[in-house]
Amino acid sequence: VDMSIPRVHSSDMSKLRQAREAAGLTREELARQAMTSTSTIARIELNGHLPNAMTMAAIARALGTTVDS
């Protein structure tokens, strides 16, 4: 059984950061709008942490996009 933590590809991590910066948001502002923690946003951007589907959808909504984009 693979118990490793799912990771996001580095290009996806930079897409999140690029989208956040393009929206003019800090990590704190994005976290607040997505109703998650600043540390979750940082873990995604810096470490490739893969959040659950609900968190991913909330981040996408806060950025005015979809998870597929």
Side-chain angles (χ1 to χ4, degrees):
V1 174
D2 183 5
M3 297 298 288
S4 61
I5 298 172
R7 298 283 179 203
V8 178
H9 190 273
S10 61
S11 65
D12 292 330
M13 293 172 358
S14 61
K15 281 183 191 177
L16 174 59
R17 183 176 178 186
Q18 289 172 1
R20 176 180 59 76
E21 290 176 347
L25 298 173
T26 65
R27 286 183 184 146
E28 293 80 10
E29 291 165 333
L30 176 56
R32 187 172 36 257
Q33 289 184 25
M35 295 187 293
T36 191
S37 68
T38 303
S39 63
T40 294
I41 302 299
R43 282 196 315 268
I44 296 166
E45 289 186 355
L46 301 173
N47 302 327
H49 170 76
L50 182 62
N52 65 47
M54 289 179 63
T55 300
M56 286 175 37
I59 291 169
R61 275 192 306 277
L63 293 170
T65 189
T66 64
V67 175
D68 297 336
S69 298

Coordinates of all heavy atoms in Angstrom, one line a residue:
V1 N 0.8 -1.2 0.0 CA 0.0 0.0 0.0 C 0.9 1.2 0.0 O 1.8 1.4 0.8 CB -0.9 0.0 1.2 CG1 -1.7 1.3 1.3 CG2 -1.8 -1.2 1.2
D2 N 0.7 2.1 -0.9 CA 1.4 3.4 -1.0 C 0.8 4.4 -0.1 O -0.3 4.9 -0.4 CB 1.4 3.8 -2.5 CG 2.3 5.1 -2.7 OD1 2.9 5.5 -1.7 OD2 2.3 5.6 -3.8
M3 N 1.5 4.8 0.9 CA 1.0 5.7 1.9 C 1.7 7.1 1.7 O 1.6 7.9 2.6 CB 1.2 5.2 3.3 CG 0.5 3.9 3.6 SD -1.3 4.1 3.5 CE -1.6 5.1 4.9
S4 N 2.3 7.3 0.6 CA 3.0 8.6 0.4 C 2.0 9.7 0.2 O 0.9 9.5 -0.2 CB 4.0 8.5 -0.8 OG 3.2 8.2 -2.0
I5 N 2.4 10.9 0.5 CA 1.6 12.1 0.3 C 1.5 12.4 -1.1 O 2.6 12.6 -1.8 CB 2.1 13.2 1.2 CG1 2.1 12.9 2.7 CG2 1.3 14.5 0.9 CD1 2.8 13.9 3.6
P6 N 0.3 12.6 -1.7 CA 0.3 13.0 -3.1 C 0.9 14.4 -3.3 O 0.9 15.3 -2.5 CB -1.3 13.1 -3.3 CG -1.9 12.4 -2.3 CD -1.0 12.4 -1.1
R7 N 1.6 14.5 -4.4 CA 2.3 15.7 -4.8 C 1.8 16.3 -6.1 O 1.3 15.6 -6.9 CB 3.8 15.5 -4.9 CG 4.5 14.9 -3.6 CD 4.7 16.1 -2.7 NE 5.3 15.6 -1.5 CZ 5.2 16.2 -0.3 NH1 4.5 17.3 -0.2 NH2 5.7 15.7 0.8
V8 N 1.9 17.6 -6.2 CA 1.5 18.3 -7.4 C 2.8 18.5 -8.2 O 3.9 18.8 -7.7 CB 0.9 19.6 -7.1 CG1 0.6 20.4 -8.3 CG2 -0.3 19.4 -6.2
H9 N 2.7 18.3 -9.5 CA 3.9 18.6 -10.4 C 4.3 20.0 -10.3 O 3.5 20.9 -10.1 CB 3.5 18.3 -11.9 CG 4.6 18.3 -12.8 ND1 5.0 19.4 -13.4 CD2 5.4 17.3 -13.2 CE1 6.1 19.1 -14.2 NE2 6.3 17.9 -14.1
S10 N 5.6 20.3 -10.4 CA 6.1 21.7 -10.2 C 5.5 22.7 -11.1 O 5.3 23.9 -10.7 CB 7.6 21.7 -10.3 OG 8.0 21.3 -11.6
S11 N 5.1 22.3 -12.3 CA 4.4 23.3 -13.2 C 3.1 23.7 -12.7 O 2.6 24.8 -12.9 CB 4.4 22.7 -14.6 OG 3.5 21.6 -14.7
D12 N 2.4 22.7 -12.0 CA 1.1 23.1 -11.4 C 1.2 24.0 -10.2 O 0.4 24.9 -10.0 CB 0.3 21.8 -11.0 CG -0.1 20.9 -12.2 OD1 -0.3 21.5 -13.3 OD2 -0.1 19.7 -12.0
M13 N 2.3 23.8 -9.5 CA 2.6 24.7 -8.3 C 2.8 26.1 -8.8 O 2.3 27.0 -8.3 CB 3.8 24.2 -7.5 CG 3.6 22.9 -6.9 SD 5.0 22.0 -6.1 CE 6.4 23.0 -6.4
S14 N 3.6 26.2 -9.9 CA 3.9 27.6 -10.4 C 2.6 28.2 -11.0 O 2.4 29.4 -11.0 CB 5.0 27.6 -11.4 OG 4.8 26.8 -12.5
K15 N 1.7 27.4 -11.6 CA 0.5 27.9 -12.1 C -0.4 28.5 -11.0 O -1.0 29.5 -11.2 CB -0.3 26.7 -12.8 CG 0.1 26.4 -14.1 CD -0.8 25.3 -14.7 CE -0.3 24.7 -15.9 NZ -1.2 23.6 -16.4
L16 N -0.4 27.8 -9.9 CA -1.2 28.4 -8.7 C -0.6 29.7 -8.3 O -1.3 30.7 -8.2 CB -1.2 27.4 -7.6 CG -1.9 28.0 -6.3 CD1 -3.3 28.4 -6.5 CD2 -1.8 27.0 -5.2
R17 N 0.7 29.8 -8.2 CA 1.4 31.0 -7.8 C 1.1 32.1 -8.8 O 0.8 33.2 -8.5 CB 2.9 30.8 -7.6 CG 3.6 32.0 -7.1 CD 5.0 31.8 -6.8 NE 5.7 33.0 -6.4 CZ 6.9 33.1 -6.1 NH1 7.7 32.1 -6.3 NH2 7.4 34.3 -5.8
Q18 N 1.3 31.8 -10.1 CA 1.1 32.7 -11.2 C -0.4 33.2 -11.1 O -0.6 34.4 -11.3 CB 1.4 32.1 -12.5 CG 2.9 31.9 -12.7 CD 3.2 31.1 -14.0 OE1 2.3 30.7 -14.8 NE2 4.4 30.9 -14.3
A19 N -1.3 32.3 -11.0 CA -2.7 32.8 -10.9 C -3.0 33.7 -9.7 O -3.7 34.7 -9.9 CB -3.6 31.5 -10.9
R20 N -2.4 33.3 -8.6 CA -2.6 34.1 -7.4 C -2.0 35.5 -7.6 O -2.7 36.5 -7.3 CB -2.0 33.4 -6.2 CG -2.0 34.2 -4.9 CD -1.4 33.6 -3.7 NE 0.0 33.2 -3.9 CZ 1.0 34.1 -3.8 NH1 0.8 35.4 -3.6 NH2 2.3 33.7 -3.9
E21 N -0.8 35.5 -8.1 CA -0.1 36.8 -8.3 C -0.9 37.6 -9.4 O -1.0 38.9 -9.3 CB 1.3 36.6 -8.7 CG 2.1 36.1 -7.5 CD 3.6 35.8 -7.8 OE1 3.9 35.7 -9.0 OE2 4.4 35.6 -6.9
A22 N -1.4 37.0 -10.5 CA -2.1 37.7 -11.5 C -3.4 38.3 -11.0 O -3.8 39.4 -11.4 CB -2.4 36.8 -12.7
A23 N -4.0 37.6 -10.0 CA -5.2 38.1 -9.3 C -4.9 39.2 -8.3 O -5.8 39.8 -7.7 CB -5.9 37.0 -8.7
G24 N -3.6 39.5 -8.1 CA -3.2 40.5 -7.1 C -3.4 40.1 -5.7 O -3.6 41.0 -4.9
L25 N -3.3 38.8 -5.4 CA -3.6 38.3 -4.1 C -2.3 37.9 -3.4 O -1.5 37.3 -4.0 CB -4.6 37.2 -4.1 CG -6.0 37.4 -4.7 CD1 -6.8 36.1 -4.8 CD2 -6.7 38.4 -3.8
T26 N -2.3 38.1 -2.1 CA -1.2 37.5 -1.3 C -1.7 36.1 -0.9 O -2.9 35.7 -1.1 CB -1.0 38.3 0.0 OG1 -2.2 38.2 0.8 CG2 -0.6 39.7 -0.3
R27 N -0.8 35.3 -0.4 CA -1.2 34.0 0.1 C -2.3 34.1 1.2 O -3.3 33.3 1.2 CB 0.0 33.2 0.7 CG 0.9 32.7 -0.3 CD 2.0 31.9 0.3 NE 3.0 31.5 -0.7 CZ 4.2 31.4 -0.5 NH1 4.8 31.6 0.7 NH2 5.0 31.0 -1.5
E28 N -2.2 35.1 2.0 CA -3.1 35.3 3.1 C -4.5 35.7 2.5 O -5.5 35.1 3.0 CB -2.7 36.4 4.0 CG -1.4 36.1 4.9 CD -0.1 36.3 4.1 OE1 -0.1 36.8 2.9 OE2 0.9 35.8 4.6
E29 N -4.5 36.5 1.5 CA -5.8 36.9 0.9 C -6.5 35.8 0.2 O -7.7 35.5 0.3 CB -5.6 38.1 0.0 CG -5.2 39.4 0.6 CD -4.7 40.4 -0.3 OE1 -4.1 40.1 -1.4 OE2 -4.8 41.6 0.0
L30 N -5.7 35.0 -0.5 CA -6.2 33.8 -1.2 C -6.8 32.8 -0.2 O -7.9 32.3 -0.4 CB -5.2 33.2 -2.1 CG -5.6 31.9 -2.8 CD1 -6.9 32.1 -3.6 CD2 -4.5 31.3 -3.6
A31 N -6.0 32.6 0.9 CA -6.5 31.6 1.9 C -7.8 32.1 2.5 O -8.7 31.3 2.7 CB -5.4 31.5 3.0
R32 N -7.9 33.3 2.8 CA -9.1 33.9 3.4 C -10.3 33.7 2.4 O -11.4 33.2 2.8 CB -8.9 35.3 3.8 CG -10.1 35.9 4.5 CD -9.9 37.3 5.1 NE -9.0 38.2 4.2 CZ -7.8 38.5 4.4 NH1 -7.1 38.0 5.5 NH2 -7.1 39.3 3.6
Q33 N -10.1 34.0 1.2 CA -11.2 33.9 0.2 C -11.6 32.4 -0.1 O -12.7 32.1 -0.3 CB -10.8 34.6 -1.1 CG -10.8 36.1 -1.0 CD -10.4 36.7 -2.4 OE1 -10.7 36.2 -3.4 NE2 -9.9 37.9 -2.3
A34 N -10.6 31.5 0.0 CA -10.8 30.1 -0.2 C -11.2 29.4 1.1 O -11.5 28.2 1.0 CB -9.6 29.5 -0.8
M35 N -11.3 30.1 2.2 CA -11.6 29.6 3.5 C -10.7 28.4 3.8 O -11.2 27.3 4.2 CB -13.1 29.2 3.5 CG -14.0 30.4 3.4 SD -15.8 30.1 3.7 CE -16.2 29.1 2.3
T36 N -9.4 28.6 3.7 CA -8.4 27.6 4.1 C -7.3 28.4 4.8 O -7.4 29.6 5.0 CB -7.9 26.9 2.8 OG1 -7.1 25.7 3.3 CG2 -7.1 27.7 1.9
S37 N -6.3 27.7 5.1 CA -5.2 28.4 5.9 C -4.1 28.9 4.9 O -3.9 28.3 3.8 CB -4.6 27.4 6.9 OG -3.9 26.3 6.2
T38 N -3.4 29.9 5.4 CA -2.2 30.4 4.6 C -1.2 29.3 4.5 O -0.6 29.1 3.4 CB -1.6 31.6 5.4 OG1 -2.6 32.6 5.5 CG2 -0.4 32.1 4.6
S39 N -1.0 28.4 5.5 CA 0.0 27.3 5.4 C -0.4 26.3 4.3 O 0.5 25.8 3.6 CB 0.2 26.7 6.7 OG -1.0 26.0 7.2
T40 N -1.7 26.1 4.1 CA -2.1 25.2 3.0 C -1.7 25.8 1.6 O -1.2 25.1 0.8 CB -3.7 25.0 3.0 OG1 -4.0 24.3 4.2 CG2 -4.1 24.2 1.8
I41 N -1.9 27.1 1.4 CA -1.5 27.7 0.2 C 0.0 27.6 0.0 O 0.5 27.2 -1.1 CB -2.0 29.2 0.1 CG1 -3.5 29.3 0.3 CG2 -1.5 29.9 -1.2 CD1 -4.3 28.6 -0.8
A42 N 0.7 27.9 1.0 CA 2.2 27.8 1.0 C 2.6 26.4 0.7 O 3.6 26.2 -0.1 CB 2.8 28.3 2.3
R43 N 2.0 25.4 1.3 CA 2.4 24.0 1.1 C 2.2 23.6 -0.4 O 3.0 22.9 -0.9 CB 1.7 23.1 2.0 CG 2.2 23.0 3.4 CD 1.8 21.8 4.2 NE 0.4 21.6 4.2 CZ -0.6 22.0 5.0 NH1 -0.2 22.8 6.0 NH2 -1.8 21.7 4.8
I44 N 1.1 24.1 -0.9 CA 0.8 23.8 -2.3 C 1.9 24.4 -3.2 O 2.5 23.8 -4.1 CB -0.6 24.3 -2.7 CG1 -1.7 23.5 -2.0 CG2 -0.8 24.1 -4.3 CD1 -3.0 24.1 -2.1
E45 N 2.1 25.7 -3.0 CA 3.0 26.5 -3.8 C 4.5 26.0 -3.7 O 5.2 26.0 -4.7 CB 2.9 28.0 -3.6 CG 1.7 28.6 -4.0 CD 1.6 30.1 -3.9 OE1 2.6 30.7 -3.3 OE2 0.7 30.7 -4.3
L46 N 4.9 25.7 -2.5 CA 6.3 25.5 -2.2 C 6.7 24.0 -2.2 O 7.8 23.6 -2.6 CB 6.7 26.1 -0.9 CG 6.5 27.6 -0.8 CD1 6.8 28.1 0.6 CD2 7.4 28.3 -1.8
N47 N 5.8 23.2 -1.7 CA 6.1 21.7 -1.5 C 5.4 20.8 -2.4 O 5.6 19.6 -2.3 CB 5.9 21.4 0.0 CG 6.6 22.2 1.0 OD1 7.7 22.6 0.7 ND2 6.1 22.5 2.1
G48 N 4.4 21.3 -3.2 CA 3.7 20.4 -4.0 C 2.6 19.6 -3.3 O 2.2 18.6 -3.8
H49 N 2.2 20.1 -2.1 CA 1.1 19.4 -1.4 C -0.1 19.4 -2.2 O -0.5 20.4 -2.8 CB 0.9 20.1 -0.1 CG -0.4 19.7 0.7 ND1 -0.4 18.5 1.4 CD2 -1.6 20.3 0.8 CE1 -1.6 18.4 1.9 NE2 -2.3 19.5 1.6
L50 N -0.8 18.2 -2.3 CA -2.0 18.1 -3.1 C -3.2 18.2 -2.1 O -3.4 17.3 -1.3 CB -2.1 16.8 -3.8 CG -3.3 16.6 -4.7 CD1 -3.4 17.6 -5.8 CD2 -3.2 15.2 -5.3
P51 N -4.0 19.3 -2.1 CA -5.1 19.4 -1.2 C -6.3 18.5 -1.6 O -6.3 18.0 -2.8 CB -5.5 20.9 -1.3 CG -5.1 21.3 -2.7 CD -3.9 20.4 -3.0
N52 N -7.3 18.4 -0.8 CA -8.4 17.6 -1.1 C -9.3 18.4 -2.2 O -9.0 19.6 -2.4 CB -9.3 17.3 0.1 CG -9.9 18.5 0.8 OD1 -10.4 19.4 0.1 ND2 -9.8 18.6 2.1
A53 N -10.2 17.7 -2.8 CA -11.0 18.3 -3.9 C -11.7 19.5 -3.5 O -11.8 20.4 -4.3 CB -11.9 17.2 -4.5
M54 N -12.3 19.5 -2.3 CA -13.1 20.7 -1.9 C -12.2 21.9 -1.7 O -12.5 23.0 -2.1 CB -13.8 20.4 -0.5 CG -14.9 19.4 -0.7 SD -15.7 19.0 0.9 CE -16.4 20.6 1.3
T55 N -11.0 21.7 -1.2 CA -10.0 22.9 -1.1 C -9.6 23.3 -2.4 O -9.5 24.5 -2.7 CB -8.8 22.5 -0.2 OG1 -9.3 22.1 1.1 CG2 -7.8 23.6 -0.1
M56 N -9.3 22.4 -3.3 CA -8.9 22.7 -4.7 C -10.0 23.6 -5.4 O -9.7 24.6 -6.0 CB -8.6 21.5 -5.5 CG -7.3 20.9 -5.1 SD -6.8 19.3 -5.9 CE -7.4 19.4 -7.6
A57 N -11.2 23.1 -5.2 CA -12.3 23.9 -5.9 C -12.5 25.2 -5.2 O -12.7 26.2 -6.0 CB -13.6 23.0 -5.7
A58 N -12.3 25.4 -3.9 CA -12.5 26.7 -3.3 C -11.4 27.6 -3.7 O -11.6 28.8 -3.9 CB -12.4 26.5 -1.8
I59 N -10.1 27.1 -3.9 CA -9.0 28.0 -4.4 C -9.3 28.4 -5.8 O -9.1 29.6 -6.1 CB -7.7 27.2 -4.3 CG1 -7.3 27.0 -2.8 CG2 -6.6 27.9 -5.0 CD1 -6.2 26.0 -2.6
A60 N -9.8 27.5 -6.6 CA -10.1 27.8 -8.0 C -11.2 28.9 -8.1 O -11.0 29.9 -8.8 CB -10.5 26.6 -8.8
R61 N -12.2 28.7 -7.3 CA -13.3 29.7 -7.2 C -12.8 31.1 -6.8 O -13.1 32.1 -7.4 CB -14.4 29.3 -6.3 CG -15.4 28.4 -6.9 CD -16.7 28.2 -6.1 NE -16.4 27.8 -4.7 CZ -16.2 26.6 -4.3 NH1 -16.3 25.6 -5.2 NH2 -16.0 26.3 -3.1
A62 N -11.9 31.1 -5.8 CA -11.4 32.4 -5.3 C -10.5 33.1 -6.4 O -10.4 34.3 -6.4 CB -10.5 32.1 -4.1
L63 N -9.9 32.3 -7.3 CA -9.1 32.8 -8.4 C -9.9 33.0 -9.6 O -9.4 33.5 -10.6 CB -7.9 31.8 -8.7 CG -6.9 31.7 -7.6 CD1 -5.9 30.6 -7.8 CD2 -6.2 33.1 -7.4
G64 N -11.2 32.7 -9.6 CA -12.1 32.9 -10.7 C -11.8 32.0 -11.9 O -12.0 32.3 -13.1
T65 N -11.4 30.8 -11.5 CA -11.1 29.8 -12.6 C -11.7 28.4 -12.1 O -12.5 28.4 -11.2 CB -9.6 29.7 -12.8 OG1 -9.4 28.8 -13.9 CG2 -8.9 29.2 -11.6
T66 N -11.4 27.4 -12.8 CA -11.8 26.0 -12.4 C -10.6 25.2 -12.1 O -9.4 25.5 -12.5 CB -12.6 25.4 -13.6 OG1 -11.7 25.2 -14.7 CG2 -13.8 26.2 -14.0
V67 N -10.8 24.0 -11.6 CA -9.7 23.1 -11.3 C -9.1 22.6 -12.6 O -7.9 22.4 -12.6 CB -10.2 21.9 -10.4 CG1 -9.1 20.9 -10.2 CG2 -10.7 22.4 -9.1
D68 N -9.8 22.5 -13.6 CA -9.3 22.0 -14.9 C -8.4 23.0 -15.6 O -7.6 22.6 -16.4 CB -10.5 21.7 -15.8 CG -11.4 20.6 -15.3 OD1 -10.9 19.8 -14.5 OD2 -12.6 20.6 -15.7
S69 N -8.5 24.3 -15.3 CA -7.8 25.3 -16.0 C -6.3 25.3 -15.7 O -5.8 24.9 -14.7 CB -8.3 26.7 -15.7 OG -9.6 26.8 -16.2

